[in-house]
Amino acid sequence: DIQMTQSPSSLSASVGDRVTITCRASQTIRMYLNWYQQKPGRAPKFLIYTASTLQSGVPSRFSGSGSGTDFTLTISSLQPEDFATYFCQQSYSTPLTFGGGTKVEI
Amino acid sequence: QVQLQESGPGLVKPSETLSLTCTMSGGFISNHYWTWIRQPPGRGLEYIGYVFHSGSTDYSPSLKSRVTISIDTSKNQFSLKLSAVTAADTAVYYCAKSLRRQLDDGLDVWGQGTTVTVSS
């Protein structure tokens, strides 16, 4: 299985801050990396696919980059509704695997 | 737009079989991968497996001996069966759909999730 490691596991930030979350794969996954946002008691919401493509309807303050083994999710200007946990997920091969999550506290 | 809804018992006894169904509405069940993902309390997301509209399946190696995922295209439903459950199978179970006709592009639609507790 491909292991996905996210850092940090949690962070505290203020509205307007630029936030960066990193995700590292245990082997190359090319660009097959997706990002999800999950709020308490809710299902994950699809944000970004193939490392950098923004899903329709997702605000442009979210962006993704990277390839191979190292990826980042950036929120350019944090908004109150961005309080959530963010997960990365590799879709290069099955079993699909997820990072442990990054909790963003405002 | 596509919506997914999980259904099934919220309480299962140890050693019994967990059975869940995911009903899709607002789209076509063909040409996508239909997956099950679970999330134990306070923990991360775990892939269980998928079924393609053709009926082909893939399962997580850690669960493979206990899992069956099937699809009923006439009812726009797919199902999960997990046998010989233990307390470690207590989780929120989600069904989710692939964005396109391959899994490469992630899972764009998720059900709201259903909590399954394994307890006697």
Side-chain angles (χ1 to χ4, degrees), chain B residues 38-98:
Chain B
R38 70 180 183 179
Q39 186 170 33
R43 297 181 61 184
L45 298 161
E46 180 185 14
Y47 169 78
I48 300 172
Y50 73 65
V51 61
F52 193 51
H53 71 94
S54 63
S56 64
T57 56
D58 176 82
Y59 303 132
S60 170
S62 65
L63 298 170
K64 189 172 186 175
S65 63
R66 299 193 290 130
V67 171
T68 302
I69 300 176
S70 58
I71 192 166
D72 186 337
T73 55
S74 68
K75 295 182 179 178
N76 277 353
Q77 292 178 334
F78 60 107
S79 300
L80 167 69
K81 291 188 185 301
L82 181 65
S83 64
V85 298
T86 69
D89 296 309
T90 293
V92 177
Y93 285 76
Y94 295 102
C95 56
K97 160 193 162 293
S98 68

Side-chain angles (χ1 to χ4, degrees), chain A residues 13-72:
Chain A
S14 300
V15 173
D17 284 354
R18 182 181 181 87
V19 169
T20 299
I21 298 168
T22 65
C23 181
R24 174 166 288 177
S26 60
Q27 65 183 74
T28 183
I29 56 172
R30 297 173 61 188
M31 79 291 277
Y32 297 113
L33 190 283
N34 312 302
W35 290 98
Y36 302 85
Q37 176 195 68
Q38 187 178 35
K39 296 183 178 181
R42 303 289 298 274
K45 175 186 175 183
F46 189 46
L47 294 179
I48 288 170
Y49 59 99
T50 53
S52 60
T53 305
L54 209 61
Q55 170 67 342
S56 175
V58 174
S60 59
R61 63 181 180 272
F62 290 92
S63 65
S65 64
S67 66
T69 61
D70 294 314
F71 301 86
T72 60

